[in-house]
Amino acid sequence: MATVLRFLSYRVVIYSNDHRPCHIHVMSAEHEAIFELNCPEGPPFLRENYGFRKATLNLIAPHLQDNLADLCKQWKQIHGNY
């Protein structure tokens, strides 16, 4: 598991043994959400949510969009194709 981004109190990870399609896991101390990135252009969209409130997800999504190019690059470095 590689942490590829940190913002606010969240950590964005890509698991090295994970599967396609290209996606990331956003984690807090208590919650997790999985966003598909739709590389290379996006937009990221929520696939699964484990405990985040909708308002929090609405704060997370723009950070992912702002960092989409780097997140896609990191996925490609770990897994190859999207």
Side-chain angles (χ1 to χ4, degrees):
M1 164 176 53
T3 298
V4 295
L5 178 67
R6 290 181 185 270
F7 63 93
L8 304 172
S9 61
Y10 309 111
R11 187 168 57 112
V12 178
V13 301
I14 296 173
Y15 288 96
S16 61
N17 63 345
D18 221 338
H19 55 83
R20 292 184 184 111
C22 179
H23 65 279
I24 49 85
H25 299 252
V26 179
M27 301 180 167
S28 70
E30 300 170 346
H31 309 297
E32 179 179 358
I34 301 171
F35 285 83
E36 289 192 17
L37 295 177
N38 291 314
C39 293
E41 289 134 22
F45 76 89
L46 179 65
R47 185 174 82 194
E48 298 174 50
N49 177 27
Y50 302 101
F52 282 112
R53 293 177 185 234
K54 185 174 181 176
T56 303
L57 293 168
N58 289 337
L59 293 174
I60 291 171
H63 285 277
L64 300 179
Q65 182 64 47
D66 290 346
N67 291 281
L68 182 65
D70 188 51
L71 293 170
C72 291
K73 180 181 174 183
Q74 300 241 15
W75 174 275
K76 198 168 189 175
Q77 287 174 343
I78 294 169
H79 294 286
N81 294 327
Y82 304 123

